[in-house]
Amino acid sequence: GISRLSGTKRAAKIMENNGYEALGPLLTQFGQIVIDQIGQISERAYLFVYCENNWAQVALFVDEDDIVRWYRPDEKLFEIATEIWSIDNAQRAKKLRWTYFEYDIQDSKFNTHFVYPEEIPETTGPLEWQEVGLEKRFGAKHVIYPDKLPER
């Protein structure tokens, strides 16, 4: 699949300034890992990615008709997310950096939506942002999280 970036006008401007040349291949690799992990290209997959200095929170969800199931993300997704954050950090000032991004597949293409600080309430955090993204993508479907996570 081909990565397609979306979001605010700022994201479009960043991509114009060679950001896509650096981020595009990483985002495509991100999508390939998701496909490998869930075993198919699926427009039912959704990722929420939040990063801070060399740290990432990645959550992978797949719509399974009546429910949405959380999957333990492949370790490589964390590595790529922090690499995306590092490249982005090197390219612009901290105040212009995205806060989190959402990643899904639409029309057989990977879609990345960067969300910037001015687009979210200051009183919320990553878990609330993730919940908003899930509701936007899947509506009121019940999300299943495993009771006990398998050992890594």
Side-chain angles (χ1 to χ4, degrees):
I2 298 170
S3 285
R4 177 178 55 209
L5 301 163
S6 68
T8 64
K9 290 180 184 177
R10 184 189 316 186
K13 187 70 174 167
I14 289 163
M15 292 306 115
E16 278 178 24
N17 295 329
N18 297 322
Y20 185 78
E21 289 178 17
L23 299 179
L26 289 172
L27 292 169
T28 298
Q29 185 180 6
F30 208 78
Q32 189 58 54
I33 293 168
V34 170
I35 291 168
D36 292 347
Q37 184 169 357
I38 64 174
Q40 62 183 346
I41 187 164
S42 174
E43 297 199 8
R44 296 174 165 221
Y46 167 81
L47 279 98
F48 173 88
V49 181
Y50 170 77
C51 296
E52 286 186 10
N53 302 315
N54 295 318
W55 177 85
Q57 171 187 328
V58 179
L60 171 60
F61 301 91
V62 178
D63 183 345
E64 296 182 354
D65 295 323
D66 296 334
I67 61 158
V68 175
R69 187 175 307 277
W70 176 87
Y71 285 82
R72 177 186 292 278
D74 185 294
E75 194 65 36
K76 292 175 189 170
L77 292 174
F78 293 92
E79 294 169 14
I80 294 170
T82 55
E83 190 172 347
I84 289 168
W85 179 261
S86 296
I87 288 171
D88 206 39
N89 186 29
Q91 289 184 346
R92 62 179 169 271
K94 184 176 182 178
K95 67 181 180 176
L96 299 177
R97 189 181 318 133
W98 47 269
T99 302
Y100 67 91
F101 69 87
E102 299 169 301
Y103 192 92
D104 63 12
I105 301 170
Q106 295 176 6
D107 301 322
S108 299
K109 293 181 181 167
F110 306 120
N111 184 51
T112 307
H113 176 77
F114 291 93
V115 179
Y116 293 86
E118 67 270 12
E119 298 177 283
I120 52 179
E122 290 182 27
T123 57
T124 60
L127 291 178
E128 290 92 353
W129 306 332
Q130 178 180 295
E131 290 301 317
V132 168
L134 284 167
E135 187 173 321
K136 200 168 46 177
R137 175 81 170 142
F138 301 116
K141 285 188 180 181
H142 183 66
V143 179
I144 303 293
Y145 295 91
D147 290 333
K148 182 174 180 185
L149 297 177
E151 297 297 320
R152 286 190 167 190

